[in-house]
């Protein structure tokens, strides 16, 4: 505990800083168009069936090969849901025998405000997530922006797409109807997921095999009914069975736990079992396990919050409302039939390297018993370093250094964020330790969450960063944690 608090204090210089110095340059996975070697007239009916079979309700302009879904709630049915998404699907004819299908996602927050606006990030050197010389090459990522005009109510769809993705409009045909401008982003993950399911069916139909029978055998885990939010750029390529991804976080934000929840959801719905590791005392392991396996009743939440961990005299952000929200979302994912687990690994009774070694042993024990799983392990960003040395002890061996010797495929990522606030502990007047909301200083690289790797590890041994956009403080959960979701913003 003291090491965690000391690091929070170490960061303070009036403002928290977004990232440590970097080495090398960043790389984001290329996002490519999903092309069908089939006529659009053959593809479109199967696209429509794909959305219908996954529980989407939509309106369609069949003549122009466009459909638009109704709003769909993220983690629908969870106590802490509240983000909403809708999809505009556009069929594009490349040639008489070749076509594409674009999926544009529009998102809103708990109170109806647009979120995840897909502004084109500026990857110039001056806008990189760290103060070093690294830059993010814009030609390696394409986060599309579009302005979609939609009516304020669900009117019949009349949609005439333009050739450019940045100039798609939904005409408002009804006199007196007012519209609103919403930002949308190409959902390449959904485009490729859909293509990978549809192409075998189209090929089977061409060979005389019944499509519906084949489609029934191709349902993705979770039945396609789970909304996992805007895909995290770069995560899919790194989420592999048997891999441990260490996330070196800034405690006390809403965004890092949300990143973990979305990441777990997006990986688990691809059929890869996910285990999330949290920097909570190992004494709470059975309590966390029972909660994840529970029905999520008020009694279940009360049992979770009985732990002394939530009432620490130094609430450094690990016991925040956002962490309770994360646990509830993991519980809900498991209740939907996804293979999601959680474990805790902190040993707060120990200090220094003894604590690092104990945390490493606990994580290794979990990994050794789950070789087919993907592990997302979240901890303060001293612990994941895979090289020895910290500012106060150049010979210090962090947990990540110990794990890297045992796990060759380990991936250690430092947090990157845009400026905002975080709930942290810091040295106040008279050298007293105070905990509360403080400003943070980061770098603006857009609103999209992403994972990006360095060309070579940093001096601290980080292999890259995970970016969470502008951060906002999450206060201590105390006894009750986060409340239920906000009302439907529609």
């Amino acid at each position: 505990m003291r090491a965690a608090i000391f690091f929070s204090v170490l960061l303070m210089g009036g403002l928290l800083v977004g990232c440590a110095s970097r080495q090398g340059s960043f790389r984001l996975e290329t996002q490519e168009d999903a092309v069908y070697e089939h006529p659009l007239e053959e593809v479109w009916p199967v696209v429509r069936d794909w959305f219908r079979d996954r529980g989407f309700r939509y309106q369609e302009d069949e003549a122009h090969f466009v459909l638009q879904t109704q709003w769909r709630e993220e983690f629908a049915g969870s106590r802490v849901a509240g983000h909403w998404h809708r999809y505009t699907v556009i069929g594009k004819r490349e040639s008489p025998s070749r076509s594409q299908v674009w999926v544009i996602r529009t998102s809103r927050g708990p109170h109806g405000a647009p979120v995840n606006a897909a502004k084109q990030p500026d990857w110039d050197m001056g806008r990189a997530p760290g103060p070093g010389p690294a830059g993010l090459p814009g030609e390696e990522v394409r986060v599309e922006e579009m302005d979609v005009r939609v009516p304020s109510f669900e009117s019949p769809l009349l949609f005439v797409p333009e050739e450019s993705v940045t100039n798609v409009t939904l005409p408002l045909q009804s006199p007196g109807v007012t519209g609103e401008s919403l930002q949308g982003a190409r959902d390449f993950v959904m485009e490729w997921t859909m293509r990978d399911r549809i192409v075998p069916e189209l090929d089977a139909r061409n060979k005389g095999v019944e499509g519906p029978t084949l489609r029934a055998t191709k349902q993705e885990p979770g039945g396609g009914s789970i909304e996992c939010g805007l895909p995290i750029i770069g995560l899919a390529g790194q989420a592999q069975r048997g891999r441990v991804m260490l996330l070196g976080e800034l405690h006390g934000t809403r965004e890092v736990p949300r990143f973990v929840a979305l990441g777990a959801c997006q990986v688990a719905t691809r059929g890869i079992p996910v285990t999330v590791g949290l920097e909570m005392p190992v004494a709470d392991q059975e309590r966390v396990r029972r909660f994840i396996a529970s029905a999520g009743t008020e009694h279940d939440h009360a049992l979770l919050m009985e732990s002394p961990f939530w009432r620490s005299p130094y609430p450094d952000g690990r016991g925040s409302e956002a962490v309770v929200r994360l646990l509830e979302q993991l519980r809900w994912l498991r209740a939907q039939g996804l293979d999601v687990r959680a474990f805790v690994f902190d040993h707060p009774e120990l200090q220094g390297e003894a604590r690092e070694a104990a945390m490493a042993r606990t994580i290794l024990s979990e990994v050794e018993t789950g070789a087919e799983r993907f592990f997302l392990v979240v901890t303060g960003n001293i612990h994941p370093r895979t090289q020895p040395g910290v500012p106060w002890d150049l010979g210090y061996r962090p947990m990540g250094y110990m794990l890297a010797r045992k796990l060759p495929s380990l991936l250690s990522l430092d947090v990157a964020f845009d400026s905002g606030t975080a709930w942290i502990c810091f040295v106040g007047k008279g050298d007293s330790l105070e905990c509360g909301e403080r400003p943070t200083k980061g770098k603006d690289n857009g609103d999209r969450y992403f994972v990006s790797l360095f060309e070579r590890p940093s001096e601290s041994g980080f292999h890259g960063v995970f970016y969470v956009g502008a951060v906002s403080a999450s206060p201590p959960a105390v006894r009750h944690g986060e409340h239920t979701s906000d009302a439907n913003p529609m």
Side-chain angles (χ1 to χ4, degrees):
M1 177 65 184
R2 295 297 301 175
I5 292 177
F6 180 78
F7 182 55
S8 294
V9 173
L10 183 70
L11 284 174
M12 296 306 299
L15 293 172
L16 292 175
V17 179
C19 280
S21 60
R22 314 289 182 202
Q23 288 187 357
S25 62
F26 297 97
R27 294 181 289 111
L28 296 181
E29 66 183 12
T30 302
Q31 301 184 56
E32 299 178 349
D33 291 320
V35 178
Y36 297 78
E37 300 296 337
H38 299 269
L40 182 58
E41 287 77 8
E42 289 184 12
V43 172
W44 188 253
V46 188
V47 168
R48 184 172 53 215
D49 291 345
W50 190 90
F51 277 88
R52 184 196 63 217
D53 293 345
R54 282 147 187 81
F56 287 93
R57 300 179 64 184
Y58 57 81
Q59 52 183 339
E60 181 184 8
D61 181 357
E62 187 174 0
H64 294 97
F65 301 102
V66 175
L67 66 83
Q68 188 174 75
T69 72
Q70 293 184 0
W71 290 98
R72 187 165 172 148
E73 190 177 19
E74 193 176 288
F75 298 105
S78 169
R79 292 162 54 97
V80 294
H83 285 74
W84 297 78
H85 306 266
R86 81 184 311 168
Y87 300 87
T88 302
V89 185
I90 307 171
K92 291 182 65 66
R93 184 181 288 104
E94 296 291 302
S95 72
S97 60
R98 201 166 188 258
S99 57
Q100 291 186 39
V101 179
W102 288 347
V103 179
I104 296 93
R105 179 195 296 255
T106 302
S107 303
R108 287 184 174 182
H111 301 289
V115 296
N116 286 322
K119 77 180 219 181
Q120 184 69 42
D122 179 0
W123 300 133
D124 291 340
M125 294 171 60
R127 299 289 294 281
L136 293 173
E139 65 273 14
E140 294 191 36
V141 63
R142 184 173 63 241
V143 182
E144 306 284 7
E145 179 181 11
M146 66 168 48
D147 185 15
V148 181
R149 298 286 298 179
V150 298
S152 57
F153 59 89
E154 300 291 344
S155 64
L157 182 67
L158 179 58
F159 191 97
V160 182
E162 302 287 344
E163 285 303 310
S164 170
V165 72
T166 59
N167 190 30
V168 178
T169 60
L170 180 64
L172 304 178
Q173 300 296 324
S174 302
V177 172
T178 59
E180 56 183 317
S181 178
L182 298 179
Q183 294 293 318
R186 287 280 296 278
D187 191 330
F188 287 95
V189 172
M190 181 175 282
E191 289 179 14
W192 277 99
T193 298
M194 184 168 59
R195 181 195 177 280
D196 289 344
R197 300 301 188 273
I198 286 176
V199 167
E201 179 163 341
L202 292 171
D203 292 342
R205 286 184 178 183
N206 290 338
K207 295 177 182 177
V209 179
E210 287 294 328
T213 301
L214 177 64
R215 184 168 62 245
T217 66
K218 288 290 185 178
Q219 292 289 337
E220 53 264 55
S225 61
I226 297 175
E227 176 57 64
C228 296
L230 194 60
I232 298 170
I233 298 172
L235 177 63
Q238 304 303 328
Q240 304 169 9
R241 294 176 184 268
R243 165 162 281 178
V244 177
M245 181 180 286
L246 297 181
L247 301 179
E249 73 154 329
L250 169 66
H251 295 319
T253 72
R254 298 181 186 276
E255 288 68 31
V256 171
R258 175 170 164 76
F259 179 99
V260 176
L262 294 180
C265 185
Q266 291 170 18
V267 174
T269 52
R270 290 171 49 210
I272 300 176
V274 179
T275 297
V276 173
L278 299 174
E279 192 181 339
M280 295 173 57
V282 292
D284 286 335
Q285 175 58 55
E286 182 59 21
R287 191 185 304 274
V288 169
R289 186 199 66 79
R290 285 200 309 264
F291 178 75
I292 296 296
S294 74
T297 65
E298 290 291 342
H299 180 65
D300 295 326
H301 278 263
L303 290 177
L304 174 69
M305 302 307 295
E306 281 182 354
S307 169
F309 167 76
W310 305 105
R311 296 184 294 279
S312 168
Y314 302 107
D316 62 355
R318 292 178 300 155
S320 69
E321 289 181 347
V323 172
V324 176
R325 174 184 286 261
L326 167 61
L327 287 168
E328 163 61 18
Q329 288 167 327
L330 296 177
R331 184 208 65 76
W332 182 84
L333 290 174
R334 186 171 179 84
Q336 307 312 302
L338 296 179
D339 192 348
V340 174
R341 301 177 187 172
F343 75 100
V344 298
F345 57 88
D346 192 19
H347 293 261
E349 74 281 1
L350 302 176
Q351 301 292 325
E353 285 193 17
R355 180 181 174 224
E356 304 283 348
M359 291 194 295
R361 286 193 299 269
T362 300
I363 294 172
L364 277 173
S365 177
E366 290 288 333
V367 174
E368 288 169 356
T369 58
E372 294 300 309
R373 308 185 68 80
F374 173 63
F375 290 82
L376 273 172
V377 180
V378 193
T379 183
N381 67 352
I382 282 292
H383 308 302
R385 298 180 177 207
T386 63
Q387 291 297 321
V390 290
W392 64 88
D393 183 350
L394 297 181
Y396 191 85
R397 295 179 301 170
M399 175 188 77
Y401 173 82
M402 300 177 188
L403 287 173
R405 266 93 204 121
K406 302 287 186 179
L407 302 171
S409 65
L410 180 85
L411 192 65
S412 181
L413 304 178
D414 197 3
V415 66
F417 52 85
D418 192 6
S419 299
T421 59
W423 186 282
I424 57 130
C425 294
F426 55 96
V427 176
K429 295 180 180 179
D431 292 333
S432 62
L433 195 61
E434 300 177 8
C435 300
E437 182 175 323
R438 298 288 291 180
T440 66
K441 183 179 180 181
K443 293 286 185 178
D444 178 8
N445 276 290
D447 301 320
R448 287 290 297 272
Y449 290 1
F450 65 74
V451 168
S452 180
L453 302 186
F454 304 138
E455 290 182 342
R456 61 184 185 277
S458 69
E459 293 179 358
S460 300
F462 288 109
H463 302 107
V465 298
F466 69 103
Y467 177 78
V468 297
V471 290
S472 56
S474 181
V478 191
R479 291 180 180 269
H480 301 293
E482 193 98 351
H483 295 295
T484 56
S485 67
D486 296 275
N488 187 333
M490 300 301 102

